[in-house]
């Protein structure tokens, strides 16, 4: 056999081995993505009658994931309406954005392999994805709701963790006899009081309504004012009340997005906190971020985060990165227009119902120019701040319970028990049931008023005889 023949034979054999390795090994390499895709699409195809959803990590029955039904629906396929159930308007679970993500399933889906970022840190020894940091800055630039240039960004397990990290970072240390006073304007988000009291630190103490301390010349010590804008529960755009070197401010901008409010200007505060849940609706991902101007405050918050959870899960950061890329597509118009239109329609329906009532009232909605939509528009807050106007209705939540509605009691917000917060950000099923039950209350009111008028006219007629 000639040398050329030997070389040719070896070359053919080698190429066949390489082809065999590429073809079969390549096919195996790709099979896990195909299997994951098939599994996800199978679960997504399970019909739950539009009133529920099956999930990959849900319960299994007869080898198949079962439907997890929305509130007030039951049965194997969530097709049975439960008429005596409670209309839950307590939770701020932002499921109103779910239809948007169902429509954008392909662009928002990620596949996470078992070997994805198993290390504690990224390659630069940090706990923060640089790509996600850049995407957050891009998001704020597109929406025009916050300054990020020259600022530090920290990730947290939702805004709740970041709020406490911020209070810790701004508080007076090593002065147990004069802890920082944590205050917020009534009505305020209940977690401010609950969380501050729960941790029971010597460095800070919750001291209630900001207005009690507006003239703080009588009181020594430092103040930490929590400002929510738009406010939870009434949706009002708020500004800090306390001024001066002893006053420090945390701005909670969870709802400062076009879904809920016109964006009048870029927020440019020392410490600003945002959350994914009220932006995209993904409350279960537990992700938030803080934008910080001062490096010393940044370092104190960073130390707190590192010692409490040592960062946010890599899988969460990957998912958030994917979601935010979808959110800013087409300059953010599609997602934010969907969110705003949904909230606007809900407010129109609720306002129409409430306009027929004298027993109940809701907050007035402000109208102003929105730099994002480039037009004048009204606010569409996440919550209705309902008030019972009758003298005898001292506990407004109890009045709502009479028709199986549960809201969040006004006293939890430092306000009067005549107020109740009603969530408008839950699923379509939840909102539709809330609207129906409120309509029942208003109808009862009008029917009773009609009967009272008839009785009054009758008594007047009898009295004239």
């Amino acid at each position: 056999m000639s040398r050329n023949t030997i070389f040719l034979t070896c070359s053919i054999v080698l190429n066949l081995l390489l082809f065999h390795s590429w073809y079969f090994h390549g096919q195996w390499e790709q099979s896990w993505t195909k299997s994951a895709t098939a599994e996800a699409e199978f679960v997504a195809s399970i019909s739950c009658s539009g009133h529920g959803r099956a999930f990959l990590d849900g319960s299994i029955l007869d080898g198949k994931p079962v439907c997890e039904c929305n509130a007030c629906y039951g049965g194997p396929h969530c097709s049975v309406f439960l008429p005596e159930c409670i209309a839950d308007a307590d939770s701020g679970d932002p499921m109103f954005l779910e239809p948007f993500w169902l429509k954008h399933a392909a662009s928002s889906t990620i596949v996470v392999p078992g070997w994805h970022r198993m290390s504690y840190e990224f390659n630069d020894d940090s706990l923060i994805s640089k790509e996600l940091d850049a995407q957050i800055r891009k998001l704020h630039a597109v929406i025009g709701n916050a300054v990020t240039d020259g600022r530090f960004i920290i990730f947290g397990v939702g805004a709740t963790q970041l709020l406490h990290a911020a209070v810790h970072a701004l508080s007076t240390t090593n002065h147990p006899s004069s802890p920082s006073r944590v205050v917020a304007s009534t009505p305020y988000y209940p977690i401010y009081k609950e969380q501050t009291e729960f941790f029971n630190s010597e460095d800070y103490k919750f001291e209630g309504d900001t207005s009690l301390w507006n003239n703080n010349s009588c009181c020594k010590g430092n103040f930490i004012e929590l400002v929510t804008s738009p406010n939870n529960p009434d949706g009002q755009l708020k500004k800090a009340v306390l001024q001066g070197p002893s006053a420090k401010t945390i701005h909670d901008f969870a709802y400062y997005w076009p879904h809920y409010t016109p964006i009048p200007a870029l927020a440019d505060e020392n410490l600003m906190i945002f959350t994914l849940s009220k932006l995209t609706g993904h409350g279960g991902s537990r992700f938030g971020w803080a934008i910080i101007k001062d490096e010393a405050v940044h370092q104190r918050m960073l130390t707190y985060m590192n010692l409490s959870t040592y960062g946010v899960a890599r899988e969460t950061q990957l998912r958030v990165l994917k979601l935010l890329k979808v959110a800013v597509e087409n300059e953010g118009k599609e997602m934010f227009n969907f969110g705003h239109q949904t909230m606007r329609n809900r407010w129109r329906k609720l306002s129409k119902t409430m306009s027929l009532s004298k027993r109940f009232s809701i907050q007035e909605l402000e109208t102003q120019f929105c730099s994002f939509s480039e037009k004048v528009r009204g606010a569409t807050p996440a919550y209705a701040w309902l008030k019972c106007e009758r003298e005898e209705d001292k506990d407004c939540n109890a009045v709502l319970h009479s028709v199986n509605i549960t809201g969040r009691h006004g006293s939890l917000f430092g306000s009067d028990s005549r107020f109740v917060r009603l969530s408008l950000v839950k699923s379509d099923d939840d909102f539709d049931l809330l609207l129906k039950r409120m309509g029942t209350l208003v109808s009862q009111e009008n029917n009773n008023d009609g009967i009272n008028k008839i009785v009054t006219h009758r008594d007047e007629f009898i009295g004239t005889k």
Side-chain angles (χ1 to χ4, degrees):
M1 184 180 293
S2 69
R3 182 180 296 177
N4 290 338
T5 302
I6 294 173
F7 283 154
L8 179 61
T9 302
C10 289
S11 177
I12 292 171
V13 171
L14 179 60
N15 280 307
L16 286 172
L17 288 172
L18 289 172
F19 176 78
H20 180 276
S21 175
W22 169 82
Y23 182 79
F24 289 100
H25 185 65
Q27 291 287 77
W28 177 84
E29 285 283 351
Q30 296 178 28
S31 66
W32 66 269
T33 59
K34 292 180 180 177
S35 174
T37 300
E39 185 181 22
E41 291 187 348
F42 169 72
V43 173
S45 69
I46 296 174
S47 174
C48 299
S49 305
H51 302 295
R53 195 77 55 213
F55 298 97
L56 280 169
D57 59 352
S59 300
I60 303 295
L61 181 64
D62 298 329
K64 292 177 58 177
V66 300
C67 289
E68 296 182 15
C69 301
N70 295 346
C72 299
Y73 284 88
H77 304 290
C78 305
S79 58
V80 180
F81 178 67
L82 309 175
E84 301 303 318
C85 76
I86 298 291
D88 182 5
D90 183 358
S91 165
D93 203 2
M95 293 299 293
F96 77 104
L97 288 166
E98 185 187 46
F100 175 85
W101 295 109
L102 289 171
K103 182 180 177 182
H104 293 80
S107 60
S108 62
T109 295
I110 58 172
V111 177
V112 183
W115 44 262
H116 175 76
R117 295 206 178 276
M118 295 170 62
S119 175
Y120 283 114
E121 299 95 10
F122 289 91
N123 281 352
D124 60 359
D125 295 328
S126 78
L127 303 175
I128 289 178
S129 162
K130 293 296 185 290
E131 186 64 23
L132 179 52
D133 179 290
Q135 192 65 38
I136 287 173
R137 295 176 191 273
K138 179 180 179 181
L139 168 71
H140 286 295
V142 168
I143 304 306
N145 66 339
V147 174
T148 61
D149 291 346
R151 308 298 171 89
F152 303 96
I153 291 182
I154 287 180
F155 299 166
V157 184
T160 303
Q161 185 188 33
L162 288 164
L163 285 166
H164 189 253
V167 169
H168 163 79
L170 296 178
S171 64
T172 306
T173 57
N174 302 320
H175 294 285
S177 60
S178 58
S180 296
R181 294 181 172 91
V182 180
V183 296
S185 294
T186 303
Y188 50 73
Y189 181 36
I191 200 70
Y192 299 155
K193 178 177 187 290
E194 294 166 1
Q195 187 170 246
T196 305
E197 293 179 345
F198 174 81
F199 285 103
N200 194 29
S201 172
E202 292 182 344
D203 296 332
Y204 47 83
K205 182 181 180 181
F206 190 77
E207 294 283 6
D209 188 6
T210 309
S211 64
L212 300 175
W213 307 92
N214 195 12
N215 182 10
N216 58 16
S217 59
C218 64
C219 312
K220 297 180 181 179
N222 292 321
F223 289 83
I224 300 173
E225 182 181 359
L226 288 152
V227 179
T228 314
S229 186
N231 193 36
N232 175 3
D234 60 12
Q236 302 298 312
L237 291 173
K238 296 282 189 176
K239 293 184 178 180
V241 175
L242 303 181
Q243 305 295 328
S246 64
K248 301 172 183 178
T249 309
I250 300 168
H251 283 83
D252 182 351
F253 285 127
Y255 300 92
Y256 196 51
W257 300 104
H259 311 329
Y260 314 109
T261 181
I263 306 296
L266 280 163
D268 185 13
E269 307 295 346
N270 290 334
L271 203 167
M272 304 180 284
I273 293 177
F274 294 85
T275 175
L276 183 76
S277 63
K278 301 307 185 289
L279 165 62
T280 68
H282 293 83
S285 293
R286 306 307 306 131
F287 183 82
W289 64 96
I291 303 172
I292 308 155
K293 184 181 292 187
D294 185 81
E295 185 173 6
V297 174
H298 167 252
Q299 286 300 326
R300 290 200 69 191
M301 287 187 69
L302 198 60
T303 299
Y304 178 96
M305 307 305 288
N306 289 349
L307 292 176
S308 58
T309 56
Y310 204 62
V312 176
R314 305 298 170 266
E315 294 86 351
T316 295
Q317 295 191 44
L318 178 63
R319 187 186 194 192
V320 175
L321 176 62
K322 188 71 168 178
L323 295 172
L324 296 190
K325 286 181 177 179
V326 177
V328 298
E329 287 179 357
N330 191 27
E331 295 298 302
K333 299 297 184 184
E334 190 167 0
M335 189 189 83
F336 289 100
N337 285 347
F338 174 88
H340 174 237
Q341 288 171 11
T342 301
M343 293 304 299
R344 181 184 61 187
N345 290 338
R346 291 184 176 190
W347 269 102
R348 284 177 175 174
K349 292 176 181 178
L350 181 64
S351 297
K352 182 178 180 180
T353 297
M354 301 311 298
S355 68
L356 303 175
S357 173
K358 294 181 180 178
R359 186 182 187 184
F360 306 101
S361 64
I362 53 177
Q363 73 268 41
E364 294 184 6
L365 304 179
E366 296 182 358
T367 298
Q368 59 183 305
F369 181 79
C370 176
S371 61
F372 174 73
S373 60
E374 298 183 321
K375 61 182 179 181
V376 175
R377 48 154 288 199
T380 48
Y383 309 105
W385 189 229
L386 182 79
K387 182 181 180 182
C388 285
E389 298 288 354
R390 289 180 179 174
E391 180 64 29
E392 63 269 25
D393 292 340
K394 298 184 183 300
D395 185 348
C396 198
N397 216 22
V399 175
L400 298 184
H401 284 169
S402 68
V403 291
N404 280 353
I405 296 174
T406 179
R408 190 161 297 186
H409 206 285
S411 61
L412 295 175
F413 300 87
S415 189
D416 192 275
S417 60
R418 292 184 181 278
F419 287 92
V420 175
R421 191 195 77 173
L422 298 178
S423 175
L424 305 184
V425 294
K426 300 187 72 178
S427 71
D428 286 340
D429 283 344
D430 289 307
F431 175 75
D432 291 344
L433 185 60
L434 169 64
L435 189 67
K436 181 178 180 181
R437 297 274 171 83
M438 287 304 303
T440 298
L441 265 179
V442 173
S443 295
Q444 290 176 356
E445 169 195 349
N446 292 332
N447 289 339
N448 290 337
D449 286 347
I451 292 172
N452 290 336
K453 287 179 180 178
I454 292 173
V455 171
T456 300
H457 289 321
R458 182 202 63 190
D459 292 344
E460 289 176 349
F461 176 75
I462 294 175
T464 59
K465 291 182 66 176

